[in-house]
Amino acid sequence: MTEKAEQFFSELKSAVESDQLILPTLPEVALKIREAVESENTSAQQVAETLTQDASLSARLIQVSNSPLYRSRTPIEDLQMAVTRLGIRMVRDLVISLAMKQIYQATSDVLDEHFRRIWNTSVEVAAICRMLATTVPGINPEQALLAGLIHNIGALPILVMAEDDNDLFNDGEALGQVITELQGRVGILILETWNFGDAMIDVTRNALNFSYDHEGGADLVDLVQIALLQGGHVETDVDWGSVPAFAKLGMDTEVNIVEIEENKEIIESTKQSLMA
């Protein structure tokens, strides 16, 4: 790690510990839904009642429930029907995914431009991850969607803090280098604060570590890495043939799955659901 990145991380961590820099937080309703789902006694009606506290989120959930992604035979008209049809755990992951957009609120026009770029990247990566997950046994598509959305969450506090460093903030190459080096470490801080599990924390830790390998079948990190590479979201040159993720998914590095017509349709539908 470069000296600049190490120094910046030390300053950022100190700012967080002294409450001078506040890490992003999930919307209250998303937290309540997650907490409710962990309880074995939670009913679809209770989850629906909690969702009514956020009218915008509720409307988006119903909209997504009726989208081509879930191919419902009959229209879903209310929250309880949506929760019953989709299942409580799927609703939990979807609600957190849909709520993520609310985190990308900037305090200046320049910062807003950076945030929009990161959000657009995370949405495209998430859409590719969800599509890939439908072909991989044992990986839940909604978990894959969420993994794609949170893989670069660590970039947000870095940008907020960098805005006070004119030399860094106005040097696109240097800023990009610091984000690349630190977004994983900062992402871990955020997800630990959110009480996310090890699988999601591993995504933020290893998303850009293309030598990452592990025992067993493909995991969420593998999906995110392939989505980043095939979506064209990696600035440095990476030898795809040396990336274990391709072998984990049994994919040919010469074939760009993002360009396959059927996949493009699925990816676009997912992106539209998240951007709405």
Side-chain angles (χ1 to χ4, degrees):
M1 181 174 296
T2 61
E3 184 178 347
K4 176 65 177 178
E6 196 65 61
Q7 178 186 346
F8 190 89
F9 180 73
S10 178
E11 292 173 358
L12 185 149
K13 196 171 181 183
S14 296
V16 169
E17 291 169 350
S18 61
D19 292 330
Q20 292 177 297
L21 178 66
I22 306 300
L23 293 175
T25 56
L26 284 171
E28 186 177 0
V29 167
L31 291 171
K32 286 182 177 180
I33 294 295
R34 192 174 70 175
E35 183 179 339
V37 171
E38 298 307 314
S39 169
E40 295 180 0
N41 300 320
T42 300
S43 65
Q45 181 179 350
Q46 289 171 315
V47 171
E49 287 173 354
T50 302
L51 275 166
T52 59
Q53 297 172 30
D54 189 319
S56 175
L57 202 52
S58 299
R60 292 188 70 204
L61 181 66
I62 292 176
Q63 180 185 18
V64 171
S65 302
N66 284 310
S67 73
L69 289 177
Y70 300 99
R71 297 180 173 84
S72 176
R73 291 184 179 180
T74 56
I76 292 175
E77 299 174 350
D78 58 56
L79 285 172
Q80 188 165 341
M81 184 184 294
V83 176
T84 301
R85 185 81 58 82
L86 296 174
I88 289 175
R89 292 193 176 275
M90 183 184 290
V91 166
R92 174 198 60 188
D93 294 335
L94 266 178
V95 165
I96 294 175
S97 294
L98 294 173
M100 286 289 294
K101 189 176 182 181
Q102 298 178 31
I103 295 170
Y104 287 74
Q105 302 299 318
T107 54
S108 72
D109 290 342
V110 178
L111 199 58
D112 182 62
E113 185 179 337
H114 283 284
F115 275 18
R116 284 177 185 275
R117 190 179 303 116
I118 293 171
W119 172 246
N120 289 338
T121 295
S122 66
V123 165
E124 184 161 340
V125 169
I128 297 172
C129 283
R130 189 185 185 282
M131 181 275 296
L132 286 170
T134 62
T135 69
V136 181
I139 295 186
N140 182 293
E142 268 48 66
Q143 283 277 293
L145 182 78
L146 186 54
L149 287 176
I150 59 92
H151 84 276
N152 57 358
I153 191 71
L156 301 191
I158 295 172
L159 284 166
V160 171
M161 184 131 175
E163 194 175 21
D164 293 329
D165 184 333
N166 289 330
D167 290 339
L168 178 62
F169 199 70
N170 294 319
D171 185 338
E173 185 176 345
L175 180 59
Q177 181 65 30
V178 168
I179 290 174
T180 297
E181 291 189 43
L182 294 183
Q183 75 173 27
R185 293 174 71 178
V186 180
I188 291 170
L189 291 179
I190 296 170
L191 295 196
E192 286 179 344
T193 302
W194 291 358
N195 294 316
F196 271 45
D198 291 342
M200 287 295 175
I201 290 175
D202 275 346
V203 168
T204 59
R205 177 185 288 116
N206 291 304
L208 298 178
N209 172 20
F210 293 103
S211 62
Y212 169 80
D213 202 355
H214 58 93
E215 295 183 0
D219 65 9
L220 294 172
V221 177
D222 297 320
L223 266 63
V224 168
Q225 290 191 346
I226 287 175
L228 282 166
L229 290 168
Q230 297 217 332
H233 299 295
V234 178
E235 295 183 5
T236 55
D237 290 332
V238 177
D239 176 11
W240 290 18
S242 67
V243 178
F246 285 96
K248 289 292 183 183
L249 270 76
M251 290 177 57
D252 185 344
T253 57
E254 299 298 319
V255 178
N256 192 326
I257 47 89
V258 178
E259 293 302 320
I260 296 174
E261 200 61 37
E262 181 182 351
N263 293 344
K264 287 169 69 174
E265 184 177 340
I266 296 171
I267 291 168
E268 194 56 38
S269 294
T270 305
K271 286 168 61 178
Q272 289 177 4
S273 296
L274 290 170
M275 298 292 279

